[in-house]
Amino acid sequence: MATHESHKKRSGLMDWLTTVDHKKIGILYLLAGGFFFLIGGLEAILMRIQLIKPENDLFTGELFNQLLTMHGTTMIFLAAMPMIFAYMNAVIPLQIGARDVAFPYVNAVGFWLFFFGGVLLNLSWFLGGAPEAGWTAYAPLSTSAQDTGVDFYVLGLQIAGAGTLAGGINFLVTIINMRAPGMTFMRMPLFTWASFVTSGLILFAFPALTVGFFLLMFERVFDANFFNPEMGGNILIWEHIFWIFGHPEVYILILPAFGIISEVVSTFSNKRLFGYSAMVFATVLIGFLGFMVWVHHMFTVGLGPVTNSIFAVATMAIAIPTGVKIFNWIFTMWGGQIRFTTAMLFAVGFIPTFVMGGVTGVMLAVPAADYQYHDSYFVVAHFHYVIVGGLILGLFSGLYYWYPRIFNRVLNETLGKINFWLFFIGFHLTFFPQHWLGLMGMPRRVFTYMSGQHLDEANFVSTIGALFMGAGTIVLFINIIVTASSKKVADKDPWDGRTLEWSMPVPTPEYNFAQTPLVRGLDALFVEKMAGNGKMTPAEPVGEIHMPNGSILPFVLSLGLFIAGFALIYANWIIAGVGLGIVLLTMFLRSILDDHGYHIHKEEVEADIKGGRA
């Protein structure tokens, strides 16, 4: 086993291609997710430009359907999910007092699988056209499409989904096994709790989607007839499989945002989170109920009044633990010394916006009413209030909050507030009028509408709002560039934080904690501050630290799957075999090559502590 001195350090591009450090993998997730977020946002703006006026002919028919399909697919699978994993990677090991995740190698495999899956899907734009069956890929639209777009969709998401599943399992094991001494489950920060429940949802929800994609792939490649009624199949099987994954997926997305809001509201109200235990149980209950509501997406398919009623009651019940969270955030702020930083503005804006999405969700949970709302713009407004007004505002809040820990810089607050107001106002301008459009009968997924139907003004306002959101996002990227060019390094605890990630120096050492911390209560760092220590009490003496080696194998394995998937789309069985051969070879090499990592000597760790680097 190598020592730190003899360990070969990589630099530049090779360092990033081979890293298994959770902090760097978090940055990779953030960069890739941000890139796909820009692509998905551009697709949304192009759709809104098409709908700015009646009978517009800028992006029509097939192209509009491709934009619509790719916007939904990119935002859900390739932007939101990786940005959540970015925060989980960057923050969770630090919050629980761990030196890394449980399986660093698997962590790298998860990222590269997601990345190559996303690239494969987006290559469809340049190779015969993107998928146009909607982001839900309902049969028979997805089974009867003659071009290769749906094949790119199936194989790209199958590869990316494997990476997500690997990540979910990794964080479950990390949180269960790697908590610092004293970090009991009921002392974990809310973001860690939310990520723990999210990882459990990934473990049980993603296999359903994997099975569905296999069935769809066999249907398209081998005419398997799972979804062909003429041959004894049933198109509703796909809807059930998709939504038994798809509704837990909504909570996979929103629960980490709830965790972020809990951290931010508590820190910037200078108060312990109100009703911590109730918040934990509400998080777990939301995860549990999330598997019991999928049929509310299918109220109009004819499953009958008894089935619809059962799922309606379950859907309404999930509002109760969500309401607990809303009131606890408000009670946390009540009487607190609130600092309206950019992160706090996004958190405060999140609360009423998400409540509005929740209220329309309860409206949609009534089956009789859903017959009127279904497939109208009212549904589009609802889920964007939940996903954008909830998830994206939460992710932006987390970005401004944890940016000093991830990138060692504090984002500019003035530009941050401009970013907030442009995005927040633009969001409500975009999606609030869509409630009225839906109630007036405008169907979703249409690329044009007739004049004289009282739809013109609301669509115009909606498009202007989308441009505001785009402008807000541009301001964010200007802020990132301005901050990156600044020489000023962030303080280690710029927000007077309460949790463990703010207890270590900037930049964070590669081993995170020189000595594993002893956790003596909820809000572990705040407990030590109140005791007059100002830093964490160590749970162990200074000793040698074992670190994992980087590896190029996760990158090569994922590249092999990418090659195999690409070849399968064009039925090139030889190249597909080569790609799968690369995958099997990397697995074989990983199995037979002993890689014991390396040690950082006690003297080096002591020198880091003395020099303030640990």
Side-chain angles (χ1 to χ4, degrees):
M1 185 182 293
T3 62
H4 198 213
E5 297 93 357
S6 63
H7 174 65
K8 195 170 84 175
K9 280 276 186 189
R10 296 182 176 95
S11 59
L13 179 62
M14 201 61 188
D15 180 35
W16 290 96
L17 293 179
T18 60
T19 187
V20 295
D21 181 351
H22 70 94
K23 299 178 287 295
K24 288 182 177 175
I25 290 173
I27 291 171
L28 288 172
Y29 267 118
L30 199 59
L31 293 175
F35 172 70
F36 286 122
F37 180 74
L38 287 178
I39 292 175
L42 178 62
E43 289 158 351
I45 287 172
L46 294 178
M47 281 192 290
R48 283 308 328 162
I49 289 171
Q50 163 61 22
L51 292 167
I52 194 169
K53 65 178 185 177
E55 300 174 64
N56 200 0
D57 60 359
L58 194 57
F59 307 108
T60 60
E62 188 178 284
L63 179 56
F64 187 88
N65 289 343
Q66 291 175 357
L67 287 169
L68 183 143
T69 302
M70 289 298 288
H71 164 69
T73 306
T74 301
M75 284 303 201
I76 295 290
F77 293 101
L78 307 180
M81 285 298 304
M83 286 197 278
I84 288 166
F85 269 113
Y87 296 145
M88 288 165 71
N89 268 287
V91 175
I92 286 177
L94 308 184
Q95 283 198 335
I96 64 173
R99 291 213 166 99
D100 209 321
V101 294
F103 308 118
Y105 178 87
V106 175
N107 202 17
V109 169
F111 169 74
W112 289 112
L113 284 174
F114 142 72
F115 179 75
F116 279 112
V119 170
L120 181 62
L121 173 58
N122 278 277
L123 279 177
S124 61
W125 280 115
F126 311 102
L127 298 167
E132 49 180 310
W135 79 275
T136 55
Y138 277 5
L141 288 174
S142 55
T143 55
S144 60
Q146 296 302 308
D147 54 33
T148 56
V150 174
D151 301 318
F152 278 100
Y153 171 93
V154 170
L155 287 157
L157 291 187
Q158 193 77 292
I159 294 169
T164 302
L165 188 58
I169 294 168
N170 204 350
F171 281 103
L172 273 177
V173 179
T174 300
I175 293 168
I176 291 170
N177 281 354
M178 303 191 69
R179 286 167 287 126
M183 178 65 79
T184 62
F185 273 101
M186 293 309 285
R187 286 177 176 174
M188 291 196 314
L190 246 294
F191 178 70
T192 300
W193 255 114
S195 300
F196 180 59
V197 175
T198 291
S199 299
L201 292 177
I202 288 170
L203 180 65
F204 290 108
F206 265 82
L209 184 69
T210 302
V211 169
F213 282 151
F214 268 114
L215 295 182
L216 183 53
M217 186 172 74
F218 273 70
E219 178 100 1
R220 289 182 60 82
V221 177
F222 304 114
D223 295 324
N225 296 319
F226 294 112
F227 312 120
N228 185 353
E230 294 173 8
M231 302 296 290
N234 187 337
I235 57 171
L236 288 188
I237 292 174
W238 171 263
E239 289 193 40
H240 279 294
I241 289 172
F242 187 88
W243 288 117
I244 208 167
F245 148 80
H247 205 82
E249 168 70 6
V250 172
Y251 296 105
I252 288 168
L253 297 175
I254 202 64
L255 283 175
F258 285 172
I260 292 167
I261 300 305
S262 299
E263 303 289 332
V264 169
V265 165
S266 173
T267 298
F268 293 113
S269 299
N270 201 24
K271 274 178 69 183
R272 176 179 162 171
L273 190 69
F274 184 91
Y276 170 85
S277 300
M279 292 290 261
V280 168
F281 288 115
T283 304
V284 174
L285 189 56
I286 288 170
F288 180 72
L289 290 174
F291 281 99
M292 300 183 179
V293 296
W294 82 90
V295 168
H296 69 217
H297 297 272
M298 302 168 59
F299 279 154
T300 61
V301 305
L303 296 176
V306 175
T307 302
N308 282 1
S309 299
I310 291 168
F311 282 92
V313 170
T315 303
M316 293 177 192
I318 212 163
I320 296 167
T322 309
V324 168
K325 287 182 167 293
I326 299 294
F327 282 110
N328 283 5
W329 289 324
I330 293 170
F331 292 150
T332 302
M333 289 188 283
W334 185 268
Q337 297 170 315
I338 300 177
R339 291 171 285 156
F340 283 107
T341 61
T342 305
M344 187 62 168
L345 282 176
F346 275 110
V348 171
F350 164 98
I351 296 171
T353 308
F354 187 79
V355 168
M356 291 171 70
V359 168
T360 54
V362 174
M363 293 169 70
L364 288 159
V366 181
D370 188 66
Y371 272 85
Q372 301 302 315
Y373 306 136
H374 191 73
D375 266 348
S376 77
Y377 255 82
F378 189 86
V379 179
V380 177
H382 157 71
F383 73 69
H384 281 89
Y385 260 81
V386 171
I387 300 299
V388 184
L391 170 66
I392 301 301
L393 291 184
L395 291 178
F396 279 179
S397 178
L399 183 66
Y400 280 92
Y401 181 57
W402 281 313
Y403 201 90
R405 179 48 60 197
I406 300 171
F407 292 106
N408 313 323
R409 300 284 189 277
V410 178
L411 285 168
N412 183 286
E413 280 290 302
T414 304
L415 286 172
K417 285 167 182 168
I418 294 169
N419 169 203
F420 168 74
W421 286 112
L422 279 173
F423 196 89
F424 188 73
I425 293 168
F427 166 78
H428 286 284
L429 276 177
T430 303
F431 296 109
F432 194 74
Q434 291 181 9
H435 293 99
W436 310 120
L437 287 170
L439 293 174
M440 288 191 288
M442 182 171 174
R444 64 199 279 198
R445 306 191 185 102
V446 293
F447 65 84
T448 192
Y449 51 94
M450 305 293 286
S451 58
Q453 296 182 315
H454 306 292
L455 304 175
D456 306 18
E457 295 83 1
N459 270 299
F460 180 81
V461 171
S462 191
T463 299
I464 298 303
L467 296 174
F468 267 72
M469 290 169 75
T473 307
I474 289 168
V475 171
L476 170 62
F477 281 92
I478 292 170
N479 196 348
I480 289 169
I481 292 164
V482 167
T483 306
S485 61
S486 166
K487 297 285 188 285
K488 189 182 177 187
V489 177
D491 298 328
K492 75 171 189 176
D493 185 14
W495 313 125
D496 190 21
R498 306 171 71 84
T499 45
L500 278 178
E501 72 267 31
W502 303 111
S503 68
M504 54 191 65
V506 172
T508 310
E510 59 178 322
Y511 45 77
N512 294 350
F513 296 94
Q515 295 163 278
T516 302
L518 177 67
V519 176
R520 301 198 294 171
L522 178 63
D523 290 347
L525 179 59
F526 183 75
V527 168
E528 299 298 335
K529 287 177 178 177
M530 290 299 100
N533 297 331
K535 62 177 184 176
M536 294 305 299
T537 303
E540 61 179 5
V542 178
E544 289 201 345
I545 296 173
H546 174 257
M547 297 297 293
N549 282 322
S551 174
I552 194 67
L553 292 181
F555 178 85
V556 175
L557 182 149
S558 305
L559 179 62
L561 264 183
F562 171 84
I563 292 167
F566 195 83
L568 281 172
I569 291 167
Y570 294 101
N572 190 323
W573 309 115
I574 295 172
I575 301 297
V578 170
L580 290 174
I582 293 171
V583 173
L584 293 172
L585 179 63
T586 54
M587 290 178 173
F588 178 71
L589 289 174
R590 178 66 182 172
S591 301
I592 64 163
L593 294 176
D594 284 336
D595 186 358
H596 298 295
Y598 64 97
H599 274 123
I600 299 174
H601 285 312
K602 175 181 172 182
E603 292 77 20
E604 290 179 73
V605 179
E606 286 173 336
D608 283 349
I609 293 170
K610 243 180 224 172
R613 297 183 298 277

